[in-house]
Amino acid sequence: MTTARRFSGIYCPNIVPLEKSGEIHEAELRAYVDWLIVRGVHGLYPNGSTGEFTRFTAEERRRIIEIVVDQAAGRVPVLAGAAEANTRETIAACEHYAKIGATAVAIVSPFYYKLSSESVYAYFREIGANTPIDVTLYNIPMFASPIDLDTVRRLADECERVVAIKDSSGDLPFMMSLIAAVRPNRPDWSFLTGWDACLLPMLLMGCDGGTNATSGVAPELTRKLFECATTGNLDEARKIQLRVTRLFDALFGAADFPDGFRMGVSLRGIASGSGRTPRSERQRAGEAATRQQLTALLAEEGLS
Amino acid sequence: MTTARRFSGIYCPNIVPLEKSGEIHEAELRAYVDWLIVRGVHGLYPNGSTGEFTRFTAEERRRIIEIVVDQAAGRVPVLAGAAEANTRETIAACEHYAKIGATAVAIVSPFYYKLSSESVYAYFREIGANTPIDVTLYNIPMFASPIDLDTVRRLADECERVVAIKDSSGDLPFMMSLIAAVRPNRPDWSFLTGWDACLLPMLLMGCDGGTNATSGVAPELTRKLFECATTGNLDEARKIQLRVTRLFDALFGAADFPDGFRMGVSLRGIASGSGRTPRSERQRAGEAATRQQLTALLAEEGLS
Amino acid sequence: MTTARRFSGIYCPNIVPLEKSGEIHEAELRAYVDWLIVRGVHGLYPNGSTGEFTRFTAEERRRIIEIVVDQAAGRVPVLAGAAEANTRETIAACEHYAKIGATAVAIVSPFYYKLSSESVYAYFREIGANTPIDVTLYNIPMFASPIDLDTVRRLADECERVVAIKDSSGDLPFMMSLIAAVRPNRPDWSFLTGWDACLLPMLLMGCDGGTNATSGVAPELTRKLFECATTGNLDEARKIQLRVTRLFDALFGAADFPDGFRMGVSLRGIASGSGRTPRSERQRAGEAATRQQLTALLAEEGLS
Amino acid sequence: MTTARRFSGIYCPNIVPLEKSGEIHEAELRAYVDWLIVRGVHGLYPNGSTGEFTRFTAEERRRIIEIVVDQAAGRVPVLAGAAEANTRETIAACEHYAKIGATAVAIVSPFYYKLSSESVYAYFREIGANTPIDVTLYNIPMFASPIDLDTVRRLADECERVVAIKDSSGDLPFMMSLIAAVRPNRPDWSFLTGWDACLLPMLLMGCDGGTNATSGVAPELTRKLFECATTGNLDEARKIQLRVTRLFDALFGAADFPDGFRMGVSLRGIASGSGRTPRSERQRAGEAATRQQLTALLAEEGLS
C-alpha cells in the first residue's frame, strides 16, 4: 500500500447531455468531457448524483462510463459511479469498469430503504471482498442510508480495495473525525467532499479534494479555489469560496436538483438538453427568468 | 365513470421467494400466490416496497409480474408495481402490464432525489396522459418524494386513468382530507392504506382497503380485520387491530425492512429464502433468536 | 382505584384574554370561561400550549389558574397546566393548584433540552411521588421531549397519582398501543388527544376525550362531534370531523400558533386582545385578510 | 460605530454550581469564575444553554448574572444570557444587566413554539429597539426557532444595538454566508460559534471566537486552540481541535446535555454538585463508569 494512489483535486460529477428524444447525446458528452479537461478539472465522476444515475437504465449507465473513459483517454482519472440494483449487479459493474479502464468506482450507500449501520457495513463488505477495482464509499445522507464513522473504520480496516470516501453531508466535524480515525492505518485513503459550500474548510481540515457539481459549470473557479487552498493563499481562497457558494446556491435553487446544473452547463455552451424529468406548465413558465438570472451570475464571474 | 372499479379489501404486497443462488424461485412464488389466495387476500400487489422492487433488475421486475398475473389467473385482481428509472421506462412497463392482464398498476413517487410538489405532479401527469392501464399513486414519504394533497387533487381532476392512491404514511388526517377532497368529483377513486398499525381507523374513516405487508404472513388475520371493520363489528375489530399491530411491529423490527416479513413468510412454510441484502456476521448471529420470537408470536396467533 | 375519575369529553385549552397593555384581562377571562361552559365544553385546561403558558411569568401562571378555577366554580372540571422551571417548582405548583381546588394538573414533558427517555421518566417519577393532586402527562413531541410507550407504562405502574395522558402527536397507532398497554392495569387512566384533526378516530379507538384548541373557538362543534362519536352516529361524526379539521387547519395556519386561535376567539365576540408576540409590519399588513377569511369560515359554520 | 467592541476569543458558557439542596452555590460559583479566568477564558457567558438557564427561576437567573459580573470584576467581559418569558420581561432583564455592568447580553431565539422567520425577526426587532445594552443573537436550531440569514441581515441593518450572533448549529456554509452578508455594512459585528467540534474551521473562515462548553472543563485547551488558529499555526491547531472534539464528544455523550459538562467541571475540582434534573436508578447506576471514563480522558490531556 502506498499513498501514491490518493485522489487529489476536483473531480467533476458530470451531467450527461441528452438528445431531444431523451437519448444520451454521445457527441456532446464527448465534447463536454474535453471542455471540462481543458478547463482544469482534475478528474471525472460520471454516474454520480449530479449525473442522475438513477434515471438511466443499467445499460445506459454502462454506456456513459464507456464513453467518458474512452474520451478522457487517460488525460485525467475517471471515478465511475457503479451502484446497481443489488450486490451482485454492483460487483458485475465493478468488473466491467475495471476491464474498460476506469480508475476506480464510487458506490453510493443503499437507498430507498433506510438500512441500519450494520447492513450498510455488510453491503460494502461484500463488495469490498469481491471488487477487482478500487472502491470509493459515497455517503450522501440526504438521499441514501448514512455511512457512519464506525462503519467507515471497519471497512478501512478490513477491505484493502476500499480506498476512499466521498462525503456529501457537508458535516465538517464528521469529516475531521473520519480523517483522524482512518488515516493512521490507511495513509493511502482519500477523503473527498461533495458539498461545494464548504469545499475550502474541508480542504483546510485535511480533505484531498472534492467531487463538486459546481465544477461542471465553472471548472475554472473550482480549480482556482483548490489551488489557492493548497498553496496556503487563504485570503484569496476565502473570496473564491464565497463566489463558489453563491454560484452553487443559485444552481442548486434554480430547479429540482440537478436540473439547475444542467441548465448552467447549457449556458456555458454545451448542448446539455432537457433532463429526463417532465416539467409542468407552471415550471416551464418560470424557466426563462431562471435562465436569465443564471446568465447574469455567470457573466459576473466572467463565465459566459 | 362508475364506482364499479373501486378496489376493496386487503391486497398483499407479496415478497418474492428466492433460490439459494439469489434467483427468483418461480415455483415457490407460484405456490405462495396460491397460498395467499386460499387464505383470503382480496388482491395481490407484486413489486411493492415489501416486494423489494428496487433490488431486482428491470427484466426481473417484469418477470415477477408475469408470474403473479399468470398464477392468479383472474382469481383475484393484481396491482402491479410499475415504477422504473424514468417516465418513458415506466410508461413502457404500464403498457406491458396492461397487455399481460394486470388489473392496474401502482407507481411510487420518484425517489432518491427529493422532488418538489410540482415535479411530482408533472411526473404523474405525464404518466397519466400516456398509460393504457389504471394507475394507483403510491405515497410513501419515508422512502420517496411525498405526494401532497393538492397534487392528488390536480391529478384526480385531470387524469381519468389515475384512479386510486395507496398511502403508507399512516397519517390519518391527511387521508381524511384526501378522501374529502377527491371523492365528490371522482366517486370511482379508491383509497388504500399501507400502514398496518392504523388499518382499522383508516377503514372506519373511509378507506376502501389496504396494501398491508402483514397480510403476506397472516392473511387470515388481516382478512378478519377487514370483515369486522366493514360489517360494523367494532369491538372485535379493535381487538384484531391490536393483534395485527403486535405482529406488524414484530415483523418490522425483526430486521431491516422488509427482511422480517420474508422471515415471517418462511415461518408459515413458504421457502422464501434469504433476501438479496448481505448480512454481517453479527447479524447472522442474532437471527436464530429473532426467528424464535417470531415463531412464538405466530404460535400465539395459531399461525404456525 | 376506581374508574370514576376518568376524564370524559372535550376540555378547552383556553387562551387568556389580554389588555392592550399586555396584562391579563381578568374580567374578559372570566367572561370567556362562562361563554365556554355555556356552549358545552366538558372541562377547562388553562396554561396549555394554546394558553401560551411559556409566555407568562410564574406568578401570572398561578393567577390564571386561580381565576379559571374560581370562575368555573365547580361547573366543569379544571385541568391546570403546571409545568414550571424545574421539578421543585413544578411540585410547588401542583401543591398550590391542589389547595385552590383544581381537578388535576397536566404537565408537559421537559422542553428546550431534548431529554432521553430515562430522564423523562425520572422527571415524572419524581413529580408522581410528590404531587398531592392527580397528574396528566402531556406529550407533544413537536415542542417537547417525547414521552414514549415504555415510559408511560412505567409511570402508570409506579405512580398512582399519574392518571392520564394527553397526547398531541396525532399518532393513532401510538395511542392505540398506549391504551392497550396501560388500561388493563389501570382502568382509571384517561387518554386524551390534543390533535383536533384526528379527534374522531381517536375517540373511536378508545380515547376518553380531547383537549382541543378548536373548542375554544367553536365549542358547539367539538361538543357535537364528541356526542356523535360516543353515541355511534358515525356518518354524522365523520361529517363534523371534516368541518372541525377545516376550521382547525384555518386557525392553525392563520398565524404562528396559537395566534390564529386567539384571533378566532375574538371573532366569536370575546375581547381576546393581541398576543404577547410582537408582529412585524409585514405581518400586520396581512392580518385584515386573514381575519376576513376566518370570519367567512365561521359564518359558514353559523358561528359569527 | 467602531470595530473596537468586537468580541474575541473563547467565552465560557459556565455551569452554575449547586448546593446539595439544589440552591445556587454562590461561593463555589465565585471560585469557578476565578478558576476559569486564571486558566485563560477570554470571557464568561452565564445563563447560556450549558448554564441551564431554563431550569432556574427568573429571580435566580438575575442572581447568577449579578454574582458572575461582580466576581469577574472587569477582568474579562461578561455576556449575560437574558432570555425571559416574553419581550417585556426580556427587555427588563436587558435593562437590569446594563445597570449592573454586564458587557452585553445574548438572547436565544424564542423556543417551545416554532416561530416563523418573520416572528423571529419581529421579536428581536422589538428588543433591538428598546435595549440599553448590546445584544448578541443566539441561534441554536436544535433547541429553538432558527434565525435565518435574511433575518440576521435585516436585524444588522436596522438595529445598531444588535452587534453579534452566536451560532450553535455548526453549519459552516451558513456561518460563511452570514459573515459575507453582514460584515461589509457592520464591521463592528462579531461572529461566535457554539459548536466546539468545528471551532477551528469556524475561526479560519472568519469567526471572532466561540462560546464553547468545553472551555468550562478544559479552558487551557480551548485557549490554546484559539491561539494556534489566530497565529496561523494550522498544523498544531488541527491536532488540538481533534483533542477538543474528543473531549467535547465525551462530555456531550456522558449524560443528557449539559449534565456531562457539569460532571467534567466537578472532575476538575469544582464542587459543581448535581444538576436539577432528577436521575432514575438506572441512570445513577451508570454514573460511576461514566465518571471513570471522563477521568481517564482528562488525565490523558493532563487535566486532572
Side-chain angles (χ1 to χ4, degrees):
Chain A
M1 259 186 302
T2 73
T3 61
R5 56 176 161 172
R6 287 251 291 264
F7 296 111
S8 176
I10 308 301
Y11 279 59
C12 179
N14 62 281
I15 62 114
V16 175
L18 297 173
E19 312 256 16
K20 274 208 171 159
S21 63
E23 296 295 325
I24 295 168
H25 192 324
E26 177 170 342
E28 199 68 15
L29 175 53
R30 289 183 179 275
Y32 184 39
V33 165
D34 288 347
W35 186 91
L36 288 166
I37 294 173
V38 165
R39 272 156 193 80
V41 300
H42 298 86
L44 292 163
Y45 170 31
N47 286 347
S49 295
T50 313
E52 294 179 279
F53 71 102
T54 65
R55 291 170 179 159
F56 291 95
T57 64
E59 293 70 34
E60 288 175 322
R61 278 191 289 270
R62 291 202 173 198
R63 211 177 130 224
I64 290 164
I65 302 297
E66 287 162 3
I67 295 169
V68 171
V69 169
D70 181 68
Q71 188 66 22
R75 288 177 290 172
V76 297
V78 175
L79 182 60
E84 293 294 337
N86 54 54
T87 324
R88 193 170 60 177
E89 300 292 328
T90 298
I91 292 169
C94 291
E95 288 164 357
H96 186 66
Y97 299 149
K99 207 168 56 189
I100 65 171
T103 313
V105 297
I107 302 177
V108 71
S109 185
F111 52 91
Y112 191 72
Y113 305 98
K114 301 281 169 282
L115 296 197
S116 63
S117 296
E118 196 64 23
S119 290
V120 170
Y121 161 77
Y123 175 77
F124 283 116
R125 183 75 177 72
E126 175 82 6
I127 292 168
N130 292 284
T131 177
I133 187 171
D134 284 352
V135 170
T136 298
L137 309 175
Y138 178 6
N139 185 41
I140 183 163
M142 71 175 149
F143 292 159
S145 306
I147 313 177
D148 62 23
L149 177 61
D150 193 52
T151 298
V152 176
R153 195 189 336 235
R154 288 168 80 187
L155 293 167
D157 282 352
E158 300 171 10
C159 305
E160 204 182 338
R161 272 301 196 187
V162 178
V163 302
I165 185 162
K166 180 234 163 150
D167 179 87
S168 293
S169 70
D171 182 339
L172 204 59
F174 175 63
M175 182 61 92
M176 288 189 277
S177 298
L178 272 183
I179 295 175
V182 171
R183 209 162 257 169
N185 289 330
R186 290 291 302 264
D188 60 318
W189 255 58
S190 305
F191 297 86
L192 302 171
T193 176
W195 195 246
D196 305 21
C198 55
L199 177 52
L200 172 58
M202 286 284 184
L203 292 171
L204 292 177
M205 292 301 105
C207 281
D208 299 287
T211 61
N212 302 103
T214 309
S215 73
V217 177
E220 304 88 342
L221 204 58
T222 49
R223 171 94 192 197
K224 210 159 148 195
L225 175 52
F226 182 77
E227 284 169 0
C228 290
T230 50
T231 57
N233 190 348
L234 194 51
D235 283 338
E236 183 66 13
R238 265 192 290 249
K239 282 178 204 154
I240 303 176
Q241 174 65 70
L242 286 172
R243 291 161 57 196
V244 166
T245 299
R246 191 173 64 149
L247 195 52
F248 175 69
D249 287 349
L251 294 164
F252 199 84
D256 277 11
F257 176 80
D259 281 338
F261 291 87
R262 180 176 293 277
M263 202 181 277
V265 169
S266 88
L267 293 174
R268 292 301 307 273
I270 305 295
S272 59
S274 284
R276 286 188 163 186
T277 307
R279 252 155 289 194
S280 73
E281 275 181 49
R282 287 183 204 169
Q283 287 174 316
R284 278 191 297 262
E287 265 168 37
T290 304
R291 198 172 281 270
Q292 235 170 358
Q293 286 160 9
L294 292 181
T295 305
L297 189 53
L298 288 170
E300 277 184 53
E301 294 292 349
L303 303 169
S304 31
Chain B
M1 262 186 301
T2 74
T3 62
R5 55 175 161 169
R6 288 252 290 264
F7 296 110
S8 177
I10 308 303
Y11 280 59
C12 180
N14 62 281
I15 61 113
V16 176
L18 297 173
E19 312 256 16
K20 274 207 170 160
S21 63
E23 295 295 325
I24 296 169
H25 191 324
E26 177 170 341
E28 200 67 14
L29 175 53
R30 289 185 179 274
Y32 184 40
V33 165
D34 288 347
W35 187 91
L36 287 166
I37 293 173
V38 165
R39 273 156 192 78
V41 299
H42 298 87
L44 292 163
Y45 170 32
N47 285 348
S49 295
T50 313
E52 293 179 280
F53 72 102
T54 63
R55 290 170 180 159
F56 291 94
T57 63
E59 294 68 35
E60 288 175 322
R61 279 191 288 271
R62 291 205 173 195
R63 208 176 132 224
I64 290 164
I65 302 295
E66 287 163 3
I67 294 169
V68 171
V69 168
D70 181 66
Q71 188 66 20
R75 288 177 291 171
V76 298
V78 176
L79 182 60
E84 294 294 337
N86 54 54
T87 324
R88 192 169 62 176
E89 300 292 328
T90 299
I91 292 169
C94 291
E95 288 164 357
H96 185 65
Y97 299 148
K99 207 167 56 188
I100 65 169
T103 313
V105 297
I107 301 176
V108 71
S109 185
F111 52 92
Y112 190 72
Y113 304 98
K114 302 283 171 277
L115 295 197
S116 65
S117 295
E118 197 64 24
S119 289
V120 170
Y121 160 77
Y123 175 77
F124 284 117
R125 182 77 178 73
E126 175 83 5
I127 292 168
N130 291 285
T131 176
I133 187 170
D134 284 351
V135 170
T136 299
L137 308 175
Y138 178 7
N139 185 42
I140 182 163
M142 69 175 150
F143 292 157
S145 306
I147 313 177
D148 63 23
L149 177 61
D150 194 51
T151 299
V152 176
R153 197 192 331 239
R154 289 167 81 187
L155 293 167
D157 282 353
E158 299 171 12
C159 306
E160 205 183 337
R161 273 300 196 186
V162 178
V163 302
I165 185 163
K166 180 235 163 147
D167 178 88
S168 292
S169 70
D171 183 339
L172 204 59
F174 175 62
M175 181 61 91
M176 289 189 277
S177 297
L178 271 184
I179 296 175
V182 171
R183 208 162 257 169
N185 289 331
R186 289 292 301 265
D188 60 319
W189 255 58
S190 305
F191 298 85
L192 302 171
T193 177
W195 195 247
D196 306 21
C198 56
L199 177 51
L200 172 58
M202 286 284 184
L203 293 171
L204 293 178
M205 292 301 106
C207 280
D208 298 286
T211 61
N212 302 103
T214 309
S215 72
V217 177
E220 304 89 341
L221 205 58
T222 49
R223 171 92 191 198
K224 211 159 147 194
L225 175 52
F226 183 76
E227 283 169 359
C228 289
T230 50
T231 58
N233 190 348
L234 194 51
D235 283 338
E236 184 66 12
R238 266 192 291 247
K239 282 178 204 154
I240 303 175
Q241 174 66 69
L242 286 172
R243 291 163 56 197
V244 166
T245 300
R246 193 174 60 149
L247 195 52
F248 174 70
D249 287 349
L251 294 163
F252 200 83
D256 277 12
F257 177 79
D259 281 337
F261 290 88
R262 179 176 293 277
M263 202 182 277
V265 169
S266 89
L267 293 174
R268 291 300 308 272
I270 305 295
S272 58
S274 284
R276 287 187 162 186
T277 307
R279 251 155 290 193
S280 73
E281 275 180 49
R282 287 183 204 169
Q283 287 174 316
R284 277 192 298 263
E287 265 170 37
T290 304
R291 198 172 280 270
Q292 233 170 359
Q293 286 160 9
L294 292 181
T295 305
L297 189 53
L298 287 170
E300 277 184 51
E301 293 292 348
L303 301 169
S304 32
Chain C
M1 263 187 302
T2 74
T3 61
R5 55 176 161 170
R6 288 252 290 266
F7 295 110
S8 176
I10 308 302
Y11 279 59
C12 180
N14 63 280
I15 61 112
V16 175
L18 297 173
E19 311 256 17
K20 274 205 170 161
S21 63
E23 297 293 326
I24 296 169
H25 192 324
E26 177 170 341
E28 200 67 14
L29 175 53
R30 290 185 179 273
Y32 184 39
V33 165
D34 288 348
W35 187 91
L36 287 166
I37 294 174
V38 165
R39 273 157 193 79
V41 300
H42 298 87
L44 292 163
Y45 170 31
N47 286 348
S49 294
T50 314
E52 292 179 281
F53 72 102
T54 63
R55 290 170 180 159
F56 291 95
T57 64
E59 293 69 34
E60 287 175 322
R61 280 192 287 270
R62 291 202 174 197
R63 207 174 134 226
I64 289 164
I65 302 297
E66 287 162 3
I67 295 169
V68 171
V69 168
D70 181 66
Q71 188 66 21
R75 288 177 290 172
V76 298
V78 175
L79 182 60
E84 294 293 337
N86 54 54
T87 325
R88 193 170 62 176
E89 299 293 327
T90 299
I91 292 170
C94 290
E95 289 164 355
H96 185 66
Y97 299 149
K99 207 167 58 188
I100 66 170
T103 312
V105 297
I107 301 177
V108 71
S109 184
F111 52 93
Y112 191 71
Y113 304 99
K114 302 283 170 277
L115 296 196
S116 64
S117 295
E118 197 64 23
S119 290
V120 169
Y121 160 76
Y123 175 77
F124 283 118
R125 182 76 177 73
E126 174 83 5
I127 292 169
N130 291 284
T131 176
I133 188 171
D134 284 352
V135 170
T136 299
L137 308 174
Y138 178 6
N139 186 42
I140 183 163
M142 69 175 150
F143 292 158
S145 306
I147 314 177
D148 63 23
L149 177 60
D150 193 51
T151 299
V152 175
R153 197 192 329 240
R154 289 168 80 187
L155 293 167
D157 282 352
E158 299 171 11
C159 306
E160 205 182 337
R161 274 299 197 187
V162 178
V163 302
I165 186 163
K166 180 233 161 150
D167 179 87
S168 292
S169 69
D171 182 339
L172 205 58
F174 175 62
M175 181 61 92
M176 288 189 277
S177 297
L178 271 184
I179 295 176
V182 172
R183 206 162 258 169
N185 289 330
R186 289 291 302 264
D188 60 318
W189 255 58
S190 305
F191 297 86
L192 303 171
T193 176
W195 195 248
D196 306 21
C198 55
L199 177 51
L200 172 59
M202 286 283 185
L203 292 171
L204 293 177
M205 292 301 105
C207 281
D208 299 286
T211 60
N212 302 102
T214 309
S215 72
V217 176
E220 304 88 342
L221 204 59
T222 48
R223 171 94 192 197
K224 211 160 147 193
L225 175 52
F226 182 76
E227 283 169 358
C228 289
T230 49
T231 58
N233 191 347
L234 194 50
D235 283 339
E236 183 66 13
R238 266 191 290 247
K239 282 178 205 154
I240 303 176
Q241 174 66 69
L242 287 172
R243 291 162 57 197
V244 166
T245 299
R246 191 174 61 149
L247 195 52
F248 174 71
D249 286 349
L251 294 163
F252 199 84
D256 277 11
F257 177 79
D259 281 338
F261 291 88
R262 180 177 292 278
M263 203 182 276
V265 169
S266 88
L267 293 174
R268 291 301 308 271
I270 305 296
S272 59
S274 285
R276 286 187 163 186
T277 307
R279 252 155 289 195
S280 73
E281 274 180 51
R282 287 182 204 170
Q283 287 175 315
R284 277 192 298 263
E287 267 170 36
T290 304
R291 197 172 281 270
Q292 233 169 0
Q293 286 161 8
L294 292 180
T295 305
L297 189 53
L298 287 170
E300 277 184 53
E301 292 293 347
L303 301 169
S304 32
Chain D
M1 260 188 302
T2 75
T3 60
R5 55 176 161 172
R6 287 253 290 266
F7 296 110
S8 177
I10 309 302
Y11 280 59
C12 180
N14 63 282
I15 61 113
V16 175
L18 297 173
E19 312 255 16
K20 274 207 170 161
S21 63
E23 296 294 325
I24 296 168
H25 192 325
E26 178 170 341
E28 199 68 14
L29 175 53
R30 289 185 180 274
Y32 184 39
V33 165
D34 288 346
W35 186 91
L36 288 165
I37 293 174
V38 165
R39 272 156 193 80
V41 300
H42 299 87
L44 292 163
Y45 170 31
N47 286 346
S49 295
T50 313
E52 293 180 280
F53 72 101
T54 64
R55 291 170 179 160
F56 291 94
T57 64
E59 292 71 34
E60 288 176 322
R61 279 191 288 270
R62 292 201 174 198
R63 211 177 130 224
I64 290 164
I65 303 297
E66 287 162 3
I67 294 169
V68 171
V69 168
D70 181 67
Q71 188 67 21
R75 288 177 290 173
V76 298
V78 176
L79 182 60
E84 294 294 336
N86 54 53
T87 324
R88 194 170 61 176
E89 300 292 327
T90 299
I91 293 170
C94 291
E95 289 164 356
H96 186 65
Y97 299 149
K99 207 167 58 190
I100 65 171
T103 313
V105 297
I107 301 177
V108 70
S109 185
F111 52 92
Y112 190 73
Y113 304 98
K114 302 279 170 282
L115 295 196
S116 63
S117 295
E118 197 64 24
S119 290
V120 169
Y121 161 76
Y123 175 76
F124 284 116
R125 183 75 178 72
E126 175 81 7
I127 292 168
N130 291 284
T131 177
I133 187 170
D134 284 352
V135 170
T136 299
L137 308 175
Y138 177 7
N139 185 42
I140 183 163
M142 70 175 148
F143 292 159
S145 306
I147 314 178
D148 62 23
L149 177 61
D150 193 51
T151 299
V152 176
R153 196 191 333 238
R154 289 168 80 187
L155 294 167
D157 282 352
E158 299 171 12
C159 306
E160 205 184 335
R161 273 299 197 186
V162 178
V163 302
I165 185 162
K166 180 233 162 150
D167 179 87
S168 292
S169 70
D171 182 340
L172 204 60
F174 176 63
M175 181 61 91
M176 288 188 277
S177 298
L178 272 184
I179 295 176
V182 172
R183 208 162 256 170
N185 290 330
R186 290 291 302 265
D188 60 319
W189 255 57
S190 305
F191 297 86
L192 302 171
T193 176
W195 194 247
D196 305 21
C198 56
L199 177 50
L200 172 59
M202 286 283 184
L203 292 171
L204 293 177
M205 293 300 106
C207 281
D208 299 286
T211 60
N212 301 103
T214 309
S215 72
V217 176
E220 304 89 342
L221 205 58
T222 49
R223 172 93 190 197
K224 211 159 148 195
L225 175 52
F226 182 77
E227 283 169 0
C228 289
T230 50
T231 58
N233 191 347
L234 195 50
D235 283 339
E236 182 67 12
R238 265 193 290 248
K239 283 178 204 153
I240 303 177
Q241 175 65 69
L242 287 172
R243 291 162 57 197
V244 166
T245 299
R246 192 173 62 148
L247 194 53
F248 175 70
D249 286 349
L251 294 164
F252 200 83
D256 277 11
F257 176 80
D259 281 338
F261 290 88
R262 180 176 292 277
M263 202 182 278
V265 169
S266 88
L267 293 174
R268 292 301 308 272
I270 304 296
S272 60
S274 285
R276 287 188 161 184
T277 307
R279 252 156 288 194
S280 73
E281 275 180 49
R282 287 182 205 169
Q283 287 174 315
R284 277 191 298 263
E287 267 170 37
T290 304
R291 197 172 282 271
Q292 235 170 358
Q293 286 160 9
L294 292 181
T295 305
L297 189 53
L298 287 170
E300 277 183 52
E301 293 293 347
L303 302 169
S304 31

